[in-house]
Amino acid sequence: MASLHFWNEFELKKPPLVTLHVNDTGFAKNVFVVTNRYLNQLSGPDYLEFNQTAALIGRLMARRKNSFRCMPGFRAVCKLNAALCRLLRLDLPRELEHFRGALPDACDEELSGEMPTRNSLEFILVRLIAFHRLHERIRDCCEATVKYFGQMIRSNFFMEFLTLLIAAVAKINKLSLLQANNCATLYNKLQPQLTKFPLVEKHKFIPENCNLPTQLRLIKAGQPLVPAEEAPSASVKLQTQLPPLVTKVEKAKERAKADVGTVVARKSPKAASTQPTFQLDSLATVEDVKHFIVRESKARKKTPDSCVTKAIQNHEWLAATTLFERKLQAREQKKALNVFRKYIDSKI
């Protein structure tokens, strides 16, 4: 049995839970406290939220099983779901409750009592290693899933489904990191107490070629799973931040910005010939206005772009001339002249 895969066995045979009488039970108090604290953490809201999110990922995987079955990212989702199911099958809380129940009720250096054997604690430590390794596997699958489906969501493929999937995977990754660190903390506190438990030679649990690690490493957020000093030089290091993804649309936009064309010398346009400006003083009398109306009416029909009143719309010009004629018919020559002059002054 290889030491590297000892913790990963599905059918790991549990040693019998045997208690032996010891004269000193003072060390059992610390074991009971850290075990009880960890069990309280497993029954907290984060653990329940982890189980609910894991169930959601399983349902999302089943919903798109036919559509995404050939995609590499979906294979990572399937592996993630398998790791979550294996974590559920491990049932670490039950094993810890059995071990805690075997500890003596009263613990003191001067008190003797019944203590579980060293093999029982070794079994708990192996289960903690499996729990910790499974959470590493879960985070690896989360990174592979987000890396693949992140490219799809940037291309607007399956937007609603992938948004929900990535959110669930990110939540699992965050809670998995928290549970793995709690597990490593418990292991690091229980492992030094191993030699204080009574040993039964007949119930030897760990093979001779297997050695339990002295500590499990705590992982910080954004920290790679393999430390730099332990990673081989030829291996590729995991990046904490993924490189920015560039889609085809963004590449096309960059090319369009880069292609600015060739600078061509252009001749300055000739200055437009200035047209003679209209003098409002030329409309001094009613007769001047009548001649102006006749002249402009003809010019508006022949050359509408070059006439003096080209800025005035046809219906506005018709309304102004009609109003002028009505004022003349009402014998209000002065008022007709003033109104028409003000109107022409405001438009030209």
Side-chain angles (χ1 to χ4, degrees):
M1 184 183 300
S3 60
L4 294 177
H5 305 287
F6 175 64
W7 59 269
N8 197 30
E9 284 195 3
F10 272 89
E11 302 297 337
L12 185 62
K13 188 176 180 180
K14 181 179 179 181
L17 185 59
V18 179
T19 57
L20 297 178
H21 186 80
V22 294
N23 297 326
D24 181 9
T25 58
F27 67 93
K29 182 178 181 181
N30 296 330
V31 176
F32 180 85
V33 169
V34 296
T35 305
N36 189 63
R37 184 182 303 163
Y38 183 75
L39 285 173
N40 292 335
Q41 292 174 351
L42 291 183
S43 60
D46 291 338
Y47 186 77
L48 299 177
E49 195 172 3
F50 180 87
N51 293 337
Q52 294 173 359
T53 310
L56 175 61
I57 290 178
R59 292 194 297 269
L60 293 176
M61 183 196 70
R63 182 180 300 177
R64 289 293 180 180
K65 188 174 183 180
N66 295 330
S67 303
F68 293 168
R69 64 180 182 274
C70 297
M71 297 182 179
F74 188 71
R75 295 172 192 164
V77 176
C78 295
K79 293 178 182 179
L80 172 61
N81 185 67
L84 292 172
C85 294
R86 177 70 190 279
L87 197 66
L88 187 64
R89 183 179 177 182
L90 195 64
D91 202 1
L92 181 62
R94 183 189 62 180
E95 304 295 345
L96 288 175
E97 288 176 357
H98 290 171
F99 178 75
R100 183 184 61 177
L103 295 174
D105 297 332
C107 305
D108 193 81
E109 296 179 356
E110 299 178 356
L111 292 178
S112 61
E114 302 294 328
M115 288 289 296
T117 60
R118 187 180 302 179
N119 299 319
S120 299
L121 182 57
E122 288 176 347
F123 178 77
I124 294 297
L125 294 178
V126 170
R127 284 305 192 194
L128 290 174
I129 294 174
F131 192 81
H132 191 266
R133 296 290 191 273
L134 279 175
H135 277 290
E136 288 184 359
R137 173 71 169 171
I138 287 171
R139 292 194 301 278
D140 287 340
C141 295
C142 289
E143 290 181 5
T145 301
V146 173
K147 182 178 180 180
Y148 181 81
F149 286 113
Q151 296 176 350
M152 292 185 63
I153 200 172
R154 293 189 67 175
S155 301
N156 297 328
F157 292 141
F158 304 98
M159 179 67 70
E160 296 180 359
F161 175 79
L162 293 184
T163 301
L164 180 59
L165 178 62
I166 291 176
V169 170
K171 194 172 186 179
I172 279 289
N173 184 71
K174 177 184 176 182
L175 297 176
S176 173
L177 179 64
L178 180 62
Q179 290 193 18
N181 287 338
N182 292 338
C183 173
T185 302
L186 177 63
Y187 182 92
N188 297 338
K189 291 181 179 179
L190 290 181
Q191 209 278 341
Q193 307 292 337
L194 183 61
T195 56
K196 299 179 182 179
F197 280 76
L199 177 62
V200 179
E201 294 293 340
K202 295 182 180 180
H203 300 160
K204 196 169 184 180
F205 172 66
I206 298 181
E208 296 180 357
N209 59 342
C210 294
N211 295 320
L212 295 178
T214 56
Q215 280 190 345
L216 293 181
R217 189 168 58 93
L218 296 175
I219 302 176
K220 298 180 181 179
Q223 180 180 355
L225 298 180
V226 181
E229 60 272 9
E230 297 180 4
S233 58
S235 62
V236 180
K237 296 182 180 179
L238 294 177
Q239 296 181 353
T240 56
Q241 294 183 355
L242 297 177
L245 301 175
V246 182
T247 60
K248 293 182 179 180
V249 178
E250 293 177 351
K251 288 182 180 179
K253 290 182 179 179
E254 291 178 359
R255 291 174 184 172
K257 291 180 180 179
D259 186 11
V260 295
T262 307
V263 179
V264 179
R266 300 182 182 274
K267 297 180 180 179
S268 58
K270 296 181 180 180
S273 57
T274 57
Q275 296 181 357
T277 57
F278 173 74
Q279 298 294 333
L280 188 62
D281 297 338
S282 61
L283 303 178
T285 62
V286 176
E287 295 298 330
D288 295 338
V289 174
K290 289 181 179 180
H291 291 302
F292 176 76
I293 291 175
V294 174
R295 185 175 65 253
E296 280 299 313
S297 298
K298 293 180 181 180
R300 290 175 66 88
K301 293 179 181 180
K302 294 181 180 180
T303 56
D305 296 334
S306 61
C307 62
V308 177
T309 59
K310 61 181 180 180
I312 303 175
Q313 300 292 333
N314 291 332
H315 66 280
E316 295 177 349
W317 174 256
L318 180 61
T321 55
T322 303
L323 179 62
F324 177 76
E325 293 175 357
R326 288 180 181 177
K327 293 297 182 181
L328 292 180
Q329 293 176 0
R331 297 181 181 180
E332 297 178 356
Q333 288 83 357
K334 188 176 181 180
K335 190 173 183 180
L337 180 61
N338 292 335
V339 171
F340 191 81
R341 281 170 57 91
K342 290 181 180 179
Y343 178 76
I344 294 298
D345 186 26
S346 63
K347 291 293 183 179
I348 300 177

